[in-house]
Amino acid sequence: MSELDDLYSDLIMEHSMCSCNKKSLACANCSAMGKNPNCGDEIKLEFILKDNLIEDMSFGGHGCAISQSSTSIMIDTLRGKTIEEAQDIISIFIKMINREEVSEEEKEKLGNSIAFENISNMPARVKCALLAWHTTRNILNDTLKNNSK
Ligand code: ZN
């Protein structure tokens, strides 16, 4: 963790040890599994999607501190957003991790997820940090496709 800014690593540790987002949603109407075999991370994401809105999200499963906290912080960031807003935030996050240029305005949209800005200094952890985000992007893409049918 030494390569991460102290403040951010605190946030990451906090979410990895104790997350109120780690639970099952009784009314979930959508769920997805994400796996990162390189590290052994396995997460299950649950969603309550209402029309175009992510009303609630939660996760379960197990994995390293980075995958767990990235999932939890992502949920805090995306909860209450529309699917389009969420997709926008997800692509900004992926851009940031890939060290592409991200504007200040875009960074603001990331909220606490900015904590993972320097994760690319630890290439082995990048897949851990991205797992939940890729999984969510796929499920939202599918949902949009189904909605437009
Ligand atoms: Zn991991």
Side-chain angles (χ1 to χ4, degrees):
M1 299 295 281
S2 61
E3 288 167 56
L4 285 175
D5 185 277
D6 275 348
L7 175 74
Y8 288 154
S9 63
D10 283 353
L11 186 73
I12 290 171
M13 287 317 292
E14 202 182 293
H15 273 267
S16 74
M17 285 186 293
C18 172
S19 171
C20 52
N21 294 323
K22 193 165 188 180
K23 61 183 179 192
S24 195
L25 288 178
C27 304
N29 55 8
C30 187
S31 69
M33 293 289 299
K35 282 186 188 174
N36 171 22
N38 292 341
C39 178
D41 306 319
E42 282 187 19
I43 53 162
K44 183 184 185 198
L45 294 171
E46 291 188 322
F47 302 78
I48 299 177
L49 299 174
K50 203 171 180 189
D51 299 323
N52 197 28
L53 200 74
I54 302 174
E55 243 186 23
D56 206 356
M57 282 179 81
S58 72
F59 76 105
H62 57 87
C64 65
I66 297 289
S67 69
Q68 299 282 296
S69 61
S70 175
T71 307
S72 178
I73 294 172
M74 177 194 75
I75 288 173
D76 281 346
T77 309
L78 300 186
R79 181 183 289 121
K81 299 284 191 294
T82 67
I83 293 180
E84 282 85 2
E85 285 168 340
Q87 283 180 314
D88 185 37
I89 294 168
I90 292 169
S91 41
I92 297 168
F93 185 83
I94 293 172
K95 260 202 316 189
M96 175 183 81
I97 300 283
N98 291 335
R99 287 195 176 277
E100 289 169 41
E101 198 162 86
V102 176
S103 70
E104 287 305 313
E105 193 189 334
E106 287 179 317
K107 279 185 185 173
E108 249 168 59
K109 292 185 189 172
L110 289 177
N112 282 338
S113 307
I114 197 91
F116 293 91
E117 193 174 14
N118 293 323
I119 202 78
S120 45
N121 293 336
M122 297 185 279
R125 294 269 88 90
V126 166
K127 280 188 175 158
C128 305
L130 284 175
L131 177 63
W133 297 77
H134 279 307
T135 308
T136 302
R137 186 166 68 169
N138 290 340
I139 198 104
L140 294 182
N141 284 344
D142 288 349
T143 304
L144 279 185
K145 263 186 234 157
N146 288 333
N147 284 355
S148 63
K149 263 180 202 160

